[in-house]
Amino acid sequence: MRILIIEDEERLRRVIELHLSAEQHDVVGAATAEAALGQLENVDLVLTDLKMPGMDGLTLLEKIHKESPQLPVIVMTAFGNVETAVEAMKRGAADFLQKPFSLAHLSTVVGKALEMRRLKVENERLRQELETRSGFGNLIGHSAGMREVFRLIEKVAPSRATVLLCGESGVGKDMVARAIHYHSPRRTQPLVKINCGALPENLMESELFGYEKGAFTGATVAKPGKFEQADQGTVFLDEIGDVPLPVQVKLLRVLQEREFERLGSNRTRKLDVRVVAATNVDLRAALEGGRFREDLYYRLNVMPINIPPLRERLEDVPALAGHFLERFGEGRYRFSVAALEKLLGHRWPGNVRELENVIERSVLLASGELLGAEDIRLEMGPRGRAGGGEGLFLPAGMTLDEYEQSILREALKRASGNKSQAARLLGITRNALRYRLSQMGLEDKEGEG
Ligand SMILES: Nc1ncnc2c1ncn2[C@@H]1O[C@H](COP(=O)(O)OP(=O)(O)OP(=O)(O)O)[C@@H](O)[C@H]1O
Ligand SMILES: [Mg+2]
């Protein structure tokens, strides 16, 4: 394993380097944090001094965490400087060494951190393997709605039946599509996803069905389309409602006859694919508006699976939230009852994806390992706003105090910490802002400005 050592005092750095090299580690050294940042690739462990000319160790720690959150960092602190060591641990350091330390102690601390690293990498590998093998294991939910989804997945997976997944954005359609593929006999064959909404009309046809050399200007070599790539496997047509009418005709033919031609060719090709399509719009409305072909609709709608929005299965929220907390917080955090109540009070217009984002942000900004209601940072955009359209109101689950706090923080952030400017943004005086901040105990944390 590769260890990066950052220490401005050359002699000490050399001693550490020699010692760890002698223990069969691959060791690289840097005299400054700036130099170290360019050397992070393939590194398994970082050992850094805290006080250095230029960027200090705490700042470096933060940068490393941003870039490679899984990379363990051990900090070396001067004797008697307990507070910085504590601060470093709070900010995610794996361990600390107080100078002067013995080489034996160095070996122990480094060995422990590397062992943790090895376990984490191994865990991640197993998790990914499991996920690609089953794709089911990560689908969480025990609400009646989700149990019905699971039942249908199991039922349709073994066959070649076309499946239409319907549900709002962020409910988990991608995940369900993968679960179907990985539970089907086609699991060892390709699963090819086509995002119909992202493709401009003129590109879609060549993307789906491929083309021959010379089919159009720029077609210098022949290229197979996504359907061909997915032969024997599954095609996942995402946002099927966005397919333009001319392409719909060709899709219909693939679904009906399992045949197609590449652009610029009249050779008919046969193929064996299973089609899973997804939509977050009501296709029936598109039918009536003449934007979707009726015959294609009925072909697709053989086996519809509706994935209910999260607000209609709030009982899934705790398990999902716990799952994301485990993932983003690496098992270090817990929810308080108040935090869970706040999560349950929200309407989740962005569904599971929104919940995932909220938990990720909450972990990033958490003040401690037990998350309180104030640590749950709900989305504040127009989509996250609560209330049934009766004008301006608090985001669901937030108290007035929490809301005020988040507005004050945001104003300070926008003003880069400058209180006079933040006060202007809020339309209050600087003194009024200071008073509110001190009332909330935010005064010293935000610093002077
Ligand atoms: N039941 C679930 N268990 C665990 N994670 C889930 C579940 N449902 C959704 N997620 C997670 O939520 C996020 C959004 O899910 P996904 O991308 O499948 O939604 P989608 O319905 O395809 O959204 P869109 O319509 O925007 O494409 C993903 O990160 C996914 O991992
Ligand atoms: Mg999707």
Side-chain angles (χ1 to χ4, degrees), residues 398-413:
M398 256 200 184
T399 67
L400 184 56
D401 275 350
E402 289 167 3
Y403 195 50
E404 183 179 0
Q405 239 187 69
S406 65
I407 299 265
L408 293 184
R409 279 184 205 271
E410 180 61 22
L412 281 165
K413 208 172 88 197

Side-chain angles (χ1 to χ4, degrees), residues 411 415 418-431 433:
N418 182 315
K419 285 197 191 113
S420 311
Q421 203 184 327
R424 265 197 304 280
L425 284 175
L426 294 165
I428 56 179
T429 64
R430 185 170 182 277
N431 274 339
L433 175 62

